[in-house]
Amino acid sequence: MKRLEALVLLVTLLLVLQGKKGIAAGEDGFVKTNGAQFTLDGAPFYANGFNAYWLMYVAADPSPSERQKVSTLFQEARGHGLAIARTWAFNDGTQDRALQISPGLYSEQTFQALDLVVSEAKKNGIKLILSLVNNYEHYGGKKQYANWGRSQGQSISSDDDFFTNSTVLTRRNTITGVDYKDEPAIMAWELMNEPRCTSDPSGRAIQEWITEMAAYLKSIDGNHLLEVGLEGFYGQSESQKQQDNPNFQVGTDFIANNQIPEIDFATVHSYPDQWLPSSDDRSQQDFLTHWLQVHIQDSQNVLRKPVLFAEFGKSLRTAPVEQRDRLFDTVYTAIYSSARAGGAAAGGMFWQLFTEGMHNFGDGYEVVLSENGSTAGIIADQSNKLNRIRRLYLELRNRARWAGGNGIRHNGIGN
């Protein structure tokens, strides 16, 4: 039965890729898209991942033992089959270890910390998604940009008026010697962590901003993928789908925002415990199951782009570990069910991964692989399943090449 399932999977993947645009050419190590799939070196790329927003901040710590946690984390992640990491490439303002101290003025010391993060990810074979600015005031965010604008005499009515720039993209890594825009270890840029514009529930403000910023970033860097950083809330472009949202609007539109041509893939966040705080675990699970399915379907059939479930989790401050494990299993099952059929769900990235000795950063959602055995087992199992899809496809491709090579040689002999 398992052999038959594997054969069906292999044939499905081959047909999906060849039926659209053919197998992607060129093996340069950059993650690309082919319809509703990610590809890496010409093969489907389904991968398990994690969030670790703190990497640059800890890498800038003056203590070598603290900086070592960056290397340790990537090694532990690799050991559990994790292949994608999402982290902050921002820290704006005058707070501790800021990257951008004032508009256009960057800390070389903190930039070198980000260099270390990229270098360690590359060393461990982990692709990075780097977020460029925060919606929230933590680590500066759009509030800091709005304050800078006001100080320069700009007319700014709220924190929803802000700007960004491209310095990170053109940075040359002091460790690897590679410009960020030419670095295959970076999978994608994220415009903003969880953009929200509650002052304009119509969604026009964010749609215009994404359109402008996406085109601008792509004009600088054509190597990397680009995503918005959305949570997945439906907007007015598909008003009938707003019933699938939690009971609030934030001025974003999962369909319209992700249909912008320069946006390469969609993202979805999933926090039923935060969004439905008055509901019991069963109701939250039911919401999550539907939330996952509608976004997979819309990514596959409407957007025709891959989707990453880029944040999900459950706080152990309010729930037992069994409920968190059940949530992880629900997310992972939906992703794998799509992936094994060559579908749009490309992977999930739980919030958030720690190594030992980091409890001062804790928010209740943290996972320490060496301390949270049941959750670590679920994570490793999902990694193995998704990695197996890629290995099976590569095996099929290699067999096809070998058979083709034999055929050519046979014909040559016959002539």
Side-chain angles (χ1 to χ4, degrees):
M1 191 66 183
K2 287 185 177 179
R3 184 171 293 181
L4 177 61
E5 180 181 284
L7 179 60
V8 171
L9 171 62
L10 288 169
V11 173
T12 300
L13 286 171
L14 184 62
L15 290 174
V16 167
L17 280 180
Q18 291 185 335
K20 290 179 180 175
K21 300 178 182 176
I23 297 171
E27 298 192 355
D28 55 14
F30 287 98
V31 178
K32 302 176 182 179
T33 60
N34 182 18
Q37 288 185 317
F38 288 125
T39 63
L40 177 61
D41 294 336
F45 184 63
Y46 294 100
N48 206 16
F50 63 94
N51 285 272
Y53 76 90
W54 48 268
L55 285 166
M56 181 179 69
Y57 182 85
V58 171
D61 195 286
S63 168
S65 63
E66 287 298 301
R67 295 197 299 273
Q68 178 59 35
K69 290 176 179 174
V70 174
S71 302
T72 299
L73 182 95
F74 281 121
Q75 293 164 11
E76 292 176 349
R78 182 185 63 188
H80 285 72
L82 294 163
I84 307 176
R86 176 173 172 263
T87 192
W88 296 171
F90 60 79
N91 188 4
D92 305 304
T94 58
Q95 62 269 13
D96 186 28
R97 307 174 205 174
L99 176 62
Q100 187 175 197
I101 302 166
S102 61
L105 178 62
Y106 286 78
S107 163
E108 178 60 24
Q109 181 178 355
T110 304
F111 243 140
Q112 289 182 13
L114 185 58
D115 291 346
L116 176 65
V117 172
V118 175
S119 174
E120 288 298 308
K122 184 173 187 174
K123 188 184 301 181
N124 287 279
I126 293 175
K127 299 291 186 180
L128 290 173
I129 296 177
L130 297 180
S131 188
L132 295 173
V133 68
N134 204 3
N135 175 66
Y136 311 105
E137 61 183 86
H138 306 293
Y139 293 85
K142 68 182 183 184
K143 182 180 181 66
Q144 179 63 70
Y145 282 96
N147 289 339
W148 280 335
R150 292 188 187 98
S151 70
Q152 294 177 355
Q154 297 180 25
S155 177
I156 293 177
S157 59
S158 77
D159 294 343
D160 287 340
D161 299 322
F162 74 100
F163 65 93
T164 188
N165 70 50
S166 64
T167 304
V168 174
L169 280 69
T170 57
R171 164 79 175 180
R172 172 159 292 184
N173 193 308
T174 57
I175 299 173
T176 66
V178 178
D179 289 354
Y180 278 35
K181 64 185 179 65
D182 298 323
E183 176 55 74
I186 298 172
M187 172 177 168
W189 303 108
E190 177 177 278
L191 288 179
M192 175 181 277
N193 171 51
E194 296 189 345
R196 294 183 174 189
C197 186
T198 54
S199 64
D200 183 9
S202 74
R204 285 189 294 270
I206 280 188
Q207 183 76 359
E208 291 173 2
W209 174 76
I210 296 170
T211 300
E212 179 182 358
M213 289 297 102
Y216 179 55
L217 264 70
K218 284 290 190 176
S219 73
I220 297 169
D221 180 359
N223 287 325
H224 291 106
L225 302 179
L226 181 64
E227 50 99 353
V228 182
L230 296 171
E231 297 160 274
F233 304 127
Y234 290 100
Q236 293 185 6
S237 70
E238 297 280 351
S239 58
Q240 76 280 6
K241 290 183 176 291
Q242 290 180 322
Q243 64 184 358
D244 296 323
N245 291 339
N247 191 28
F248 55 85
Q249 298 291 330
V250 298
T252 59
D253 189 319
F254 178 75
I255 300 297
N257 297 160
N258 284 310
Q259 284 179 324
I260 294 169
E262 289 81 8
I263 299 303
D264 296 297
F265 64 96
T267 61
V268 178
H269 296 185
S270 305
Y271 291 107
D273 60 345
Q274 293 184 23
W275 299 346
L276 307 171
S278 301
S279 300
D280 60 18
D281 181 62
R282 177 62 181 272
S283 298
Q284 291 177 6
Q285 282 286 128
D286 289 344
F287 168 85
L288 176 63
T289 299
H290 182 71
W291 183 251
L292 297 167
Q293 291 305 321
V294 295
H295 285 87
I296 291 172
Q297 291 167 7
D298 285 338
S299 298
Q300 182 80 41
N301 301 323
V302 181
L303 299 175
R304 296 182 176 86
K305 296 179 180 182
V307 59
L308 275 182
F309 291 89
E311 285 190 30
F312 62 89
K314 189 154 194 165
S315 175
L316 296 189
R317 293 178 181 176
T318 58
V321 68
E322 293 80 10
Q323 289 187 12
R324 180 174 74 178
D325 287 351
R326 187 156 52 246
L327 180 141
F328 273 52
D329 187 63
T330 298
V331 174
Y332 285 159
T333 297
I335 292 169
Y336 182 65
S337 295
S338 172
R340 66 193 288 269
M349 310 176 72
F350 64 88
W351 184 276
Q352 60 173 321
L353 184 60
F354 283 4
T355 190
E356 293 179 1
M358 294 190 61
H359 294 291
N360 57 316
F361 285 84
D363 59 2
Y365 293 85
E366 65 272 12
V367 175
V368 181
L369 295 169
S370 61
E371 298 174 359
N372 303 124
S374 62
T375 311
I378 294 170
I379 292 167
D381 183 60
Q382 176 75 352
S383 297
N384 289 335
K385 287 179 178 178
L386 295 182
N387 290 336
R388 192 179 306 129
I389 293 175
R390 181 170 171 80
R391 289 196 303 270
L392 287 170
Y393 177 82
L394 288 170
E395 181 181 349
L396 176 66
R397 187 179 69 176
N398 290 338
R399 287 181 181 179
R401 287 177 174 175
W402 180 83
N406 276 350
I408 291 170
R409 285 193 292 275
H410 177 76
N411 290 336
I413 292 172
N415 291 334

